[in-house]
Amino acid sequence: MVRKRKTLVDVVITDFIDSVKKKEFEYGQKLPSQEKLAERFQVSRIVMREALNKLSAMGMVRFHQGKGTYLDSLENLTSFPTGFLELVFQSDKNI
């Protein structure tokens, strides 16, 4: 099986999840703006927005128009089977 390289978005998602596991963000917390998150993870706002969209599709963050982005249930972070995130990243490229 040929392994695909992780995209920058995939790296940001992994780093974001690690930050949550380290309790740098808390459940229900309003996250910093996309601009601030992009600075923190040293990526463009476009990359950060795409990462947040994927995290939203996974149920890890939720958007409230005009209010911001919030971290959703932390249970979602531990309920994925091993290799799930890699599968999600690979399936995106096949769509």
Side-chain angles (χ1 to χ4, degrees):
M1 180 174 154
V2 176
R3 287 210 170 231
K4 294 184 180 183
R5 286 180 130 188
K6 277 190 171 185
T7 66
L8 191 51
V9 171
D10 299 338
V11 172
V12 170
I13 290 171
T14 301
D15 291 348
F16 180 85
I17 292 170
D18 289 342
S19 294
V20 172
K21 287 180 177 179
K22 292 176 188 172
K23 301 206 186 271
E24 294 172 18
F25 300 110
E26 297 291 331
Y27 166 72
Q29 174 185 352
K30 180 180 178 183
L31 298 174
S33 68
Q34 289 181 5
E35 292 84 6
K36 297 274 187 202
L37 287 170
E39 287 176 19
R40 177 186 176 133
F41 292 103
Q42 300 178 342
V43 296
S44 71
R45 193 176 63 79
I46 294 168
V47 169
M48 192 69 234
R49 182 176 57 226
E50 189 175 338
L52 288 171
N53 285 335
K54 281 189 174 187
L55 288 165
S56 176
M58 290 184 231
M60 293 182 193
V61 300
R62 55 189 156 78
F63 301 112
H64 286 283
Q65 188 172 355
K67 294 185 180 181
T69 305
Y70 293 80
L71 182 63
D72 219 345
S73 178
L74 296 179
E75 293 173 1
N76 293 332
L77 297 176
T78 58
S79 63
F80 293 126
T82 304
F84 175 78
L85 292 177
E86 288 78 13
L87 180 63
V88 168
F89 299 146
Q90 289 174 5
S91 68
D92 255 7
K93 293 169 182 57
N94 296 327
I95 294 176

